[in-house]
Each structure stands twice: as C-alpha cells, then as structure tokens.
Amino acid sequence: TSSDSSSHQLGPSPRRLRRLTAFVIDWGLHAGIAAAAVALCDRIPELKPFALLAALASWAVVSFIHRTVVQRAFRCTAGKAIVGLRVIRPEDGTAPTFGYLVKWWLIGLVGFVVSQEVPDEDANGFPSVVRVCDLSHEPRPVPRLRVGAVGGGR
C-alpha cells in the first residue's frame, strides 16, 4: 500500500548517520596519526623497517586515549562532539566511568582482532550514544528497545 511505501525510509536513519559520521571522523583522526607515524619512520632510515609497527602502535595508543581518557573527560570523542552526540551508560543514563570505557575498548579490540567485528550498540551494556539535546541535567535511565519482544511476555 501507499502508506507502507511512504513510511519506508531510504538510506540510514538520522541516528545511524550521526553515529556513522562520528565514526568516520574518529577513524580519520586515528588513521591520520598512524599515517604520520609511518611518514616519520620513512624519513629516518633506521626506523623504516618499523613503519608498520609504528602505525599499529600509534593507532592503538591514540584510539585508547581518545576513546577512554578523552571520552571520560568530555563524554564524547572528537567525531561525536562534531555531530552533537554524547556517551552514556545504558543502565542508568550517567556518564561512563574510565574503567567502563576501558572495558568496552578492550572488548572492541579483542572482537576486531579475533573476528574483524566489534560489538554494536545493542550489545548488553555497550555504551549508548545520545544527542546532546536529549540529555537532561539529571541523569535518568534510557529505555532499551527489545527486538522481538512482542506481546509483552517476559
């Protein structure tokens, strides 16, 4: 019917587009620093054999600092700040602790190394991302949509 086709959205939702844009910005920042490490190694003959190691190490260090230290201090990465997103704990809507962010950074790293996959926002306990305009001054729980939970049975 026409109502079915008019309600079907083409392309990613605005929410997914904001998250994807933030990811691309953050990825670009991490990749740019890794590329700079490679360029530095290429300029110094003694370091040339270590260019790949320098790229991987700098990526990991920048990613860790950016996604844990910076995100703890500001509740967002550079990409999230640009698109107006903030990170919260899905359990209670509060700012994530440093330990919480480190845990999820490590889970993402291990998931990527082992299977080239990282957990998505629907993973149990994974940090949620919300728009700045949706934050209130008082933290409150964020409702979780349970896919497939039709009929209210628990």
Side-chain angles (χ1 to χ4, degrees):
T1 64
S2 63
S3 65
D4 289 305
S5 62
S6 65
S7 66
H8 187 77
Q9 180 178 347
L10 295 175
S13 69
R15 179 175 184 234
R16 286 203 184 274
L17 190 56
R18 278 189 295 274
R19 288 184 53 108
L20 177 62
T21 301
F23 173 82
V24 169
I25 291 167
D26 292 339
W27 189 89
L29 175 68
H30 303 170
I33 292 171
V38 169
L40 179 64
C41 287
D42 283 345
R43 289 178 163 261
I44 303 170
E46 296 83 18
L47 295 180
K48 212 169 196 153
F50 302 103
L52 178 60
L53 179 62
L56 294 173
S58 62
W59 180 289
V61 169
V62 168
S63 173
F64 179 82
I65 292 170
H66 192 219
R67 295 191 50 223
T68 59
V69 176
V70 171
Q71 206 158 227
R72 172 64 184 127
F74 301 103
R75 291 184 74 174
C76 60
T77 60
K80 289 180 184 87
I82 289 169
V83 298
L85 297 174
R86 295 296 180 270
V87 175
I88 61 170
R89 292 171 61 118
E91 307 85 52
D92 57 12
T94 60
T97 64
F98 179 72
Y100 179 84
L101 293 169
V102 168
K103 175 182 99 171
W104 282 102
W105 186 84
L106 288 170
I107 288 170
L109 176 67
V110 170
F112 181 75
V113 169
V114 170
S115 64
Q116 287 71 47
E117 292 181 11
V118 294
D120 62 13
E121 189 176 332
D122 295 328
N124 189 22
F126 190 79
S128 293
V129 178
V130 297
R131 296 178 305 168
V132 173
C133 64
D134 291 336
L135 289 174
S136 68
H137 294 291
E138 294 297 319
R140 61 179 173 207
V142 177
R144 301 285 295 190
L145 178 62
R146 294 182 56 179
V147 178
V150 179
R154 290 193 170 190

